[in-house]
Structure formats: structure tokens, C-alpha cells
Amino acid sequence: MGVGALGGNEKMVTVIEVTLRGGKWVYRDLNFSLPAPANSAEDSTESPGAPGPPRPVAPFASPLNGTASVTVGKDSQRIYYADTYGSIIELAVDGKDVRWRNFTADVGAPIAGVGSPLAATVQGGVTVHYFDAANRLVRLWHKNGNTWTVRTYNKPPKASAASPLAATVTDDVRRVLIYYMNTRNQLLEVSWTHNKEPLVTNLSTWISGPLPMSPVSPLAAVGFASDIRRIYYLDVNNSPIQLAHNVDAPTNQYPTGRKWWSWANLTQAAGAKYTLDGDPMVVALTRTSQPRVYYQDWAGNVAALAWSGSGWSYSTPGELANGEAGAPTAAPAGALAAVLSADDVKQFLFYLDRSDHLISLQWTGRLWYSVDLSAELRLPPTAHACPISAVFDGDPYAYYLSSE
């Protein structure tokens, strides 16, 4: 659906959930999965007569904005997106039950800017970040059953029109850490502790050495331990870069441990291939806090970088899949999501191929294989270049935007 009412060539854009249940891939359209109203025709045991109240439908999504998803408990997920008017929508999925809420109408959340990504974290309370129409950072926060609060950040610089957005939380859950690009293509870190004023650090000027960030770079981040985090982006040569915030063991001089930043060019550190302008990159964290970075190489193959604790290794699952016959080639500047099983044995990657089909690329513990989910499930067509998000909750759950 485009902005305004349906008509002409405008599309209905909805959120599709795809999951592996009992060893079988299944899907549902969440916008059309809301419970039927009481006394509706389908609930009635009487002979059908005049049509009852229409079945409710969650607001259609803007195909230009991002999505974010988190898991908040067993078989319980939350998906966030902007509707066609820019309002921030939550889909609450608890098993078969699906509900929705409009945060712009309910708590006064500013409308999202056109093309704004969304980023969500769950530790210490669900938090959703995005950019408003003036490219300012906005925070929605919900903790321990309390009401949602909303805050527009006025102190941090405005985001660039093409800025990515990432957020993470370290294990002490005292702070949420947000990363985005300012109008000078510099990488910013915004740290906030509950309702205190945010602390802004310009990592592009604070850390010397890396080449400048690509103006159309993706962005990914993970946090762990008490104050350790890793940020990933592409430099102007389209090399994957890691920025690492480290904390040493406590000493007499540094009772809480010396804190310092380092960086690495992963093309050089692991022999990884370059990627192309605007291609996606994501990171997943193992249960032993070892990052795994996934991205598309210049040929459109899904590539993987794994940290072992002592060094980086590089592989190309997209080429190794299906007995080295290869998985479908990824769409340029497409979308990518990754989740790991709780025991780290399985890896699930989701991306769009060059026919805009949703592809699952899975590591079984022994080998890589791919499934064309769009063909196998006859999925609703994906919105072109739509975002993909994913969570792991006993099984992988992937979310994309359809366009019909």
C-alpha cells in the first residue's frame, strides 16, 4: 500500500512470518492473522445471512522503511515497522495470537522519516529506535510491564539521509548503545542509561586508523560482558571493518579495568572478499560471545567471518551450499538476516535472491544447504529490496514485507 488509500497500482504491504515448525517451513501473513471480532459470521453456528463485521487488519507497512524483531519469551515475538503514514506499529505475536498497537497514536511517538531503519533490543526492557522526519534519533522504551515512554534525542547530531542504524546492550543491561551515521558520514555511538542524558561519541574521530565509512554502508553491532561491544561496517573501499571496545582485567591503576578501542580490516585479517556499495552485513553472537559476521561478497555470494578467540576465519556458504553447487545469488543491495541455534550448532541465514525470492541458507552442523522459500511455500511476493529481520526461539523466525 502506498501513502494514502488503496487505488490504482498501489500495493498492500504486509508483514510475513516464516518459521521452521516440526521440521517443516510454514508461513502466515501477520497483518491478516488478527482474531475475528466477537459474533462475526465465521464464529456463528447459524446459517449465514448478512455479512458480519469485517475481519480486522493491522495497518499496512511502508515498503521504504525498515523492520525490527525481538523475542520476549517462549513462543512470543514482537515485530516493529512504520505504516504508510509513518506511524510506529508493534505486532505482538504470542503463539497463534496476534495483536497490534500504534505507538504514534497511543503514546505520541513521532512519525518515522521516509526510509528510516528501525533497531530493537530486549535486555533491560524492549527498546525501539528510529529516525523521525527531521532525522533525529527517537527512542521507545518499555520495562517490566510499565507503560511505554518515548523520547526524541535533541543533543545527538542528526542522521544522514542514508544512515543505517544498529543497537545493542551489554550484559549488565545498564545502557543501550546506538550506532548511526551523521550528515558528515561519521559513525556515532549514543549511550543512554535509563532516563539520563545520552553520551555521544564520534567513533570516526575517536579511533584513528580505519579508512572513512562508506556513505551507503550497512551497520551491525553486538554487546556482551560488562562493557564489551563490537561494531561492523564497510569502509570506502567496501572492506568489512570491526571496531572493538575492550575491557582489561582490573588492576590497581584501573580498578574497573582499562577500557580501550581497537579496529581491524577483516579483508586483511581473514583474506575476506570485498563487497559492493550498499550490500548488507549482519552479526550474530555465539553463546561463548564469539561474533560471526555475514555479508554479500562482490559476486553476490553470502560470505561468513568467524572469530575463534585468537583469529578470524573466512568462508563462503553461498558457494559451498548444496554440495558446492551453490545457493542462489543474492540481490545487489538486498537484505540479510542471521540467527544461531541456542547450542550454536545450526546457523540460519535469510536473504533475497535476484528474483526477489526469499532464500534460507542453513548450516546443519555438517554442511550448508539452501531452500527457495518463496517457491516451496508459494510465499506472497516480497516488496522489492524489502528489509528482513529474524529471531531464534526454539526455531528460526524470519520476517519480511510482502507486496500484493
Side-chain angles (χ1 to χ4, degrees), residues 44-346:
S44 175
T45 59
E46 302 292 331
S47 298
R55 189 177 183 91
V57 179
F60 297 121
S62 163
L64 302 176
N65 291 82
T67 64
S69 56
V70 295
T71 181
V72 296
K74 179 61 178 174
D75 205 19
S76 185
Q77 293 83 37
R78 301 292 182 264
I79 303 94
Y80 302 94
Y81 65 95
D83 73 6
T84 55
Y85 300 98
S87 298
I88 304 301
I89 307 298
E90 176 191 68
L91 287 172
V93 180
D94 296 294
K96 295 182 178 179
D97 181 40
V98 181
R99 308 177 310 280
W100 70 275
R101 183 174 183 182
N102 184 324
F103 287 123
T104 300
D106 290 354
V107 298
I111 64 170
V114 175
S116 170
L118 283 81
T121 59
V122 69
Q123 303 97 315
V126 177
T127 309
V128 182
H129 283 92
Y130 64 97
F131 303 126
D132 69 8
N135 289 333
R136 296 174 300 182
L137 190 63
V138 180
R139 179 189 86 213
L140 278 162
W141 182 40
H142 181 268
K143 182 179 180 182
N144 298 333
N146 295 329
T147 58
W148 285 85
T149 61
V150 59
R151 177 172 180 180
T152 299
Y153 290 89
N154 291 308
K155 179 181 176 181
K158 292 182 178 181
S160 76
S163 176
L165 180 64
T168 191
V169 182
T170 51
D171 288 351
D172 58 15
V173 302
R174 292 178 303 159
R175 294 179 300 156
V176 175
L177 299 145
I178 308 102
Y179 301 92
Y180 69 96
M181 192 186 306
N182 67 14
T183 55
R184 299 174 62 188
N185 294 336
Q186 295 171 323
L187 179 60
L188 303 185
E189 178 185 73
V190 178
S191 170
W192 67 270
T193 304
H194 301 306
N195 287 321
K196 295 181 180 179
E197 287 297 312
L199 174 65
V200 182
T201 303
N202 186 325
L203 297 181
S204 293
T205 58
W206 186 261
I207 303 170
S208 62
L211 289 174
M213 189 175 181
S214 165
V216 290
S217 174
L219 190 57
V222 288
F224 54 96
S226 63
D227 196 20
I228 297 178
R229 54 239 194 222
R230 303 288 185 264
I231 304 99
Y232 302 91
Y233 64 90
L234 300 177
D235 68 16
V236 289
N237 288 335
N238 288 322
S239 288
I241 302 296
Q242 174 187 264
L243 301 182
H245 185 262
N246 309 285
V247 181
D248 291 339
T251 63
N252 290 335
Q253 185 178 2
Y254 301 101
T256 60
R258 183 175 69 97
K259 300 179 180 181
W260 52 287
W261 286 93
S262 62
W263 69 278
N265 181 315
L266 301 185
T267 300
Q268 298 171 358
K273 291 183 180 179
Y274 294 92
T275 183
L276 297 177
D277 287 341
D279 277 354
M281 180 168 58
V282 295
V283 61
L285 200 64
T286 70
R287 55 193 172 91
T288 55
S289 299
Q290 308 296 346
R292 291 176 176 170
V293 181
Y294 307 94
Y295 70 101
Q296 292 173 201
D297 69 17
W298 60 268
N301 297 306
V302 176
L305 289 156
W307 174 254
S308 64
S310 58
W312 287 97
S313 61
Y314 171 73
S315 62
T316 51
E319 293 181 303
L320 298 173
N322 308 321
E324 298 190 11
T329 303
L336 180 64
V339 290
L340 307 179
S341 61
D343 59 6
D344 292 339
V345 172
K346 296 180 180 180

Side-chain angles (χ1 to χ4, degrees), residues 353-374:
D353 72 6
R354 296 190 176 183
S355 298
D356 283 336
H357 281 204
L358 180 67
I359 306 299
S360 166
L361 183 57
Q362 179 182 341
W363 172 253
T364 66
R366 296 189 307 108
L367 52 84
W368 287 99
Y369 74 92
S370 68
V371 178
D372 184 334
L373 295 173
S374 291

